[in-house]
Amino acid sequence: MQPSRREFLKWGTVSGIVLSMSRYAGAQTPGFADGQGLSGGVPRSPAKGRVDGVAKVTGAKLYPSDFRAADMPGWPAETAHALLVRTPDATHIYDGIDLSALDAASRPAVVVTAEDLAKAGVKVPPFYAGDLFCPRGQTPLYLGQPVALLLFTSFDAYDRARTAFRNGNLLRFGVETGPIKQPNYAALRFTRVAGATPDAPDLYSPVQEGWVSPGFMESSGRPLWKPLPVAQGGDYAKGATFGEEIRQSLATPAPDMVVLDRTFETQSIDPMFLEPESGLAWFEPGSQTLDILLGVQSPFEIASAIAFLLGEAQPGFKPARIHARFTSIGGGFGGRDHTPFPLYVALAALFLPNHPVRLAHDRFQQFQGGVKRHAFQMRSQIAIDRTTGKMMAFAADHVLDGGGLANYSASVAVVGATAAIGIYDIPKVDVTTVAEHTRGVAAGSMRGYGTLQTMTALEVLIDEAARELKIDPIELRRRNLLKTGGRAMTGNPWTVSVRTPEILDKLAAHPIWRDRGARKAAARGVLVGTGVACCTKDYGTGADCSLGRVEIAPDGAITIHADAVEMGNGIGTSIARRVAAILGRTADSVNVARINTFDELGLVTSGDPYTMTQAEQDAAAKNPRWVPEISSATSASIGAHVGTQAAAQAARIVFRFGMWPAALELWGIKPGDPREFLFEEAFWQANELILSGLPPLAQAAVAARAHQRGDVTGAMAHAFSRWAWAQAAFPLGGMNWAADIDALAVRRGAGAFTVLDRSFVFFPPTDYNRIGTAFTSSCGTAVRIEITPASGLVRITDAYSVFECGEVLVPELVEGQAQGGFAMGVGYTLLETLPPFEDGPGNGRWNLGDYVVARASDLPLHKLEIEVLPPVSPKEPPKGMAEVVMIPIVPALLNAIHDATGHRFQSLPVTPDMLKRVLT
Amino acid sequence: MTALSLTINGRAHGPVEVRDDLSMNDFLREVLGMTGTKFGCGAAQCLSCVVIIDEPGGTSYTNPTCVVPAINFNGKHIRTVEGHAQGGVLTPLQTAFIEHFSFQCGYCTAGFLNEGQVLLERLAAEPIPRADLEQTILEALDGHLCRCTGYVRYHQAVRDVILADAARYLQAEAGMTGGAAPAAKGDRR
């Protein structure tokens, strides 16, 4: 099986419903229903800052939770409200809601239950498989599963009912059944045995042999990992045989080997983005249009999922068209990627036609229903040669609590497993992983995505090994680094720059590390400890794409459209910066979360990019409009690499076939002049185009001439990456112009966009789906802490993170991501936890206060040093960095705690009580 | 039901009949449509919902709106994020937040802006020694949660606004001439 981050999608029309998608156009403009607008109009933006800076400091309506019906032109003025009721129990028969506890003024106008959905004929999209509502008479599938949607035509009624549900248990339950048992979501084994020399082919690897799953379960539900002499074990048996040999060597090590065998547990946490999920929708039966406003990381996916949901519904519940509008979001961190929440927003509108309906979680509901980070249980074994300090073999077994819905559990299991040996080159590796169904709140995507958990366990293990071997921890890491061209544990090399040697050198030379002994010796009244860790994080999903459209006006003004979503990562600012370097001017208008401005490309898709065969891909690619995927989810970690790609490529085409010919004419350079093709040598400086030996040209003058000539003044492009960019050639300027895009339309002068047929296309082979990690960035962290024994409180006194991300588009955004990642890492290590099951968030009683995230006073605000390595060359493209900057914080802190206390904690978080127990 | 009258960003509202248990946050967001004030937790823990309350004596403080009934604000003068910029001109703190890239998603920004503004006004009235500055900012802002940024750039922005006009916000250091300009209580420069 191949876990997929997405399900089948098509463009334009899904399940017979016409889809259109746009950014909500009014979203950037402050304005209020009764004239509460900003005094004196919208302020001018400072010269420096984010493109959405003014909107965010003036309280403009930006986020889904800001909009009501009255804010939407053409909608009815009144907003109705929906309350999604979720179960706090998943071990007893659900026996309905007791609405008699609500007084007459707080009764809903409509109650929607599982039975109503069945009658309406809605169909749950495959990714969200599981009952949208628990039917009466059944045990809920998981804690927090919705049981009903209550619809109110007045806010006051809704508000009173919301309070009543929060304060009293209005759900009825019958006999105890225990939790529902469901199959686990995934079980996979990744085994690699290297050849005798680094150049020799692997004896076994997932890239060579394919990914394998045991397909057998013990009575406990766990897979049976041994090779089985039966047909169903076929391919699996071969890998498992190699894997068991590795296990045997770890169980009976040679005398010159040090073997460590440790367990590590990580906790469930909440993404805790500050804006709870929210949406607004209006179904107008006359026009059969569902208008819906949402804030998600995956707009194209969720619009398609809603169409799938309603595609076979009964008359009255199936819209002819869906117009989805997308806004900025108040944080995401993965937790708004493929969340089922928008499905309920759509249902609320369908069951209260003619009324715009708002569904908004409060924080209790967000804890109860929002996707969580997976809790991991891990066992890790490592064998290291005592003489050389070389890591010879590694084995691990991971068990993930996936909660009650599959969501991204299989994918997180894979990413965590294939990251299990981190930055190291280990010739024998065997990792099993199983993502379990439980009755917990569903777990899904969150920053770090499995690697946070497995690399924390690894980097703590390496620290312990270094002490056991009496080798400096940085030196032990240095001896075992995976080098450029070396093979990762799936058997493929990383295909990007590998900067871990420099990162380790930086850590070793930093005063936090260098002075660790002296600072420890000088401690008075506190325990001082220092820790380091170095991690890497893949970026991209193996099927990432980007849509970008760039236009230049006769006065040089630049307009950009892109499909990426603004989730706080500054994607609009990054795209503008990348395009500015190519077209000589910061964009005057940047429009993100746009899908509808690319119609001219006429894209079509079919199949699943993760599971399709090479033959299927080859056949489909003959259609010049076909791409493997049209639009993918936004995550901060691929923003720079993926989100900016199509716009940057479009800008290059505008430059090469619009601005450059215009510049040649202005310079008086005729065809045949050797300078005709020196476009790579030209560069922009202070809005002027410079080519050595020629007078600088004003950007506006070049743009004006391009328009006069009727050359290319606009381009829209689609890019697709499966661990390498798809490449295609297009007829431009009398040649076949090749670029890292697979679809292109251009505009000449003031004309309309015209799609160009590609004359050649190369899509990355489908075998690349066997790759675990190919694009990766690395980060190292050193921390110094002080622990007060009497209280067990940890104070981080100094911290240093050093990382690499290729070309830095916006230094302030990159540094800000690292600072935010540090805070999230501290919270994960020391503060945040959600217990499983009945005491956990599914019970509906969790909020901030009980759940503690890092505040400023928990952090070394003035002693946190961030260093970004310069790119390896001026042409190195941007690399993802928003996830990796969080990861080494966690093991570095744990290693520092060990250094301070002599105790090695093997679970998270490490609380003051736990520290007090080992210190007294 | 109670008749509620209050002044928001210098403009009188009401009297308007509201439920006694309607939260101030819902009054702003649902009744007035003023959604610049955010809802984060409903438990006064994240402080993304705070507004500024201006006292008759010229002092100001912030107050959460999510757990406080709207009627508790009867007769009050409050400021919200929508009221900071005047005449189409951003305040120094708004400008600093943008130029420092202080926020990412921006959902907590209204709360930080209100808290930071109150701090500036307090320091203008009662300057502090330079040596106390970072700790004073920390104590003022520490109740506010931000999940994106790690707080560093918010604190830098507030500090830089103060240092850019040190004579107003900080006590004169020994050996230096001049000092903090006398500031009236409630000075909102």
Side-chain angles (χ1 to χ4, degrees), chain A residues 29-49:
Chain A
T29 310
F32 305 105
D34 67 342
Q36 287 282 314
L38 291 167
S39 162
V42 180
R44 285 179 60 81
S45 182
K48 184 182 171 196

Side-chain angles (χ1 to χ4, degrees), chain B residues 78-98:
Chain B
I78 73 165
R79 279 178 281 160
T80 69
V81 62
E82 294 96 340
H84 286 244
Q86 294 291 320
V89 178
L90 298 176
T91 65
L93 191 58
Q94 287 174 309
T95 302
F97 277 5
I98 295 174

Side-chain angles (χ1 to χ4, degrees), chain A residues 47 63 187 220 231 235 243 262 282 298 345 356 465 524 528-529 608 632 643 679 684-685 763 789 816 846 882:
Chain A
Y63 309 95
S220 66
D235 292 338
R262 296 290 180 268
W282 172 41
S298 43
V345 179
R524 298 288 178 273
V528 169
D608 183 325
S632 51
F679 50 88
W684 295 98
Q685 188 171 299
F763 289 108
W846 277 78

Side-chain angles (χ1 to χ4, degrees), chain A residues 34 36 39 56-57 61 63 65-66 68 156 159 270-271 363 568 815-816 819-820 832 847 854-855 857, chain B residues 11 13 19 26 29-30 33-35 38 40-41 45 82 88 94 104-106 142-143 147-149 151 153:
Chain A
D34 67 342
Q36 287 282 314
S39 162
K56 287 182 172 176
V57 298
K61 288 180 184 285
Y63 309 95
S65 60
D66 291 344
R68 305 293 180 278
D156 283 342
D159 193 29
D270 192 280
R363 183 58 59 184
E815 194 174 280
Q819 290 158 341
E832 297 176 51
N847 202 327
R855 294 177 186 273
S857 54
Chain B
R11 183 180 162 200
H13 287 261
R19 280 174 25 233
D26 284 332
R29 293 174 62 84
E30 306 299 333
M34 298 184 68
T35 53
K38 299 307 182 198
C41 66
Q45 294 292 319
E82 294 96 340
Q94 287 174 309
Q104 290 175 23
C105 86
D142 201 33
R147 189 59 157 167
C148 299
T149 69
Y151 307 98
R153 291 168 174 276

